[in-house]
Amino acid sequence: MEAREQTIVTTTEVSTFRRVLVGIDDSPEALEAARQAAVLAEGPITLLCAYNLSKALVGGTGPAVPAYLDEESLQHEAEDAIERARAEIDRPAASRVIAGRPWEELLAEIDRWDDTLVAVGSHGTGRTLGIVIGSTATELIHKAPCSVLVTRTGLGAFPRRLVVGLDGSPESIAAYRTAKEVADRFDAELHPIVASVGEDVDLDAVEQAVGGPIRTVPDHAVSALVSMSADADLVVVGSRGLKGIKALGSVSERVAHQAASSVLIVRSRT
């Protein structure tokens, strides 16, 4: 396993893609997360696979048959998953294999290394079910202090077409700037939209930030962004910093679970 690199931050504004952490398991969705994260990353990448020991109990039945922990098998499976993910990206990546709940270990790693983006694949878990079973994506959307990328299989080359939601808030302006940065880097289409139904929109702030054409959609923000995600590879939304129970029902959380494309929730770290 390659060791992580220490990065010294010398500016007050930190790029969303300066230090990227990817949650890995044995699914195709995790491989997609690694691919997309590697494309977007501007700095070190770390692949982390956490195996849950609660799934390692093996044994027969009856009082005379002991259960035991087959931790070695789980560790080998996790290492294999890391190597498959490493083979999907065309750049060096550090890696960690650790026992624990995936979201807890990812959150600890973010805090330990001040990661600016965490990426995970979407397994198709809807919002309500995700809350019940505590899916990794749901936990990170609620609790991660950095930006969160929830990936889905794209329509082709990634990123090619981006959609970003704006309402004039500082968080949406930060999302727009990040989306524009990605669009400029990859010569991708960028479609900023303003949802005009049920939203408190500061059009002056939006126009000042964008400095160009803005599409106003006569719909609620979630519906508008989810609808446009069908023809996009990445939807970018800002986060108001709500965590835990306060985040339930937020625009960013609902879009992340419902969109057909990958979703980037932008949270600023300074």
Side-chain angles (χ1 to χ4, degrees), residues 91-151:
R91 55 185 298 170
S95 59
R96 287 199 69 200
V97 171
I98 189 168
R101 292 184 178 182
W103 59 86
E104 292 177 349
E105 297 307 327
L106 287 165
L107 290 171
E109 189 80 356
I110 292 166
D111 287 339
R112 186 179 299 116
W113 289 94
D114 197 27
D115 292 302
T116 54
L117 176 67
V118 59
V120 289
S122 169
H123 289 239
T125 301
R127 172 178 171 265
T128 303
L129 183 58
I131 294 167
V132 172
I133 67 173
S135 76
T136 298
T138 299
E139 293 290 335
L140 293 174
I141 290 167
H142 291 173
K143 298 175 182 177
C146 63
S147 297
V148 179
L149 175 65
V150 179
T151 68

Side-chain angles (χ1 to χ4, degrees), residues 149-199:
L149 175 65
V150 179
T151 68
R152 294 176 175 87
T153 303
L155 302 176
F158 174 88
R160 183 179 56 182
R161 189 172 190 267
L162 288 77
V163 175
V164 57
L166 283 153
D167 61 12
S169 66
E171 294 83 6
S172 77
I173 301 302
Y176 170 76
R177 289 172 179 163
T178 297
K180 189 174 188 308
E181 173 192 337
V182 173
D184 290 345
R185 281 173 61 195
F186 298 99
D187 194 25
E189 296 179 24
L190 177 58
H191 299 269
I193 69 164
V194 171
S196 60
V197 177
E199 303 296 330

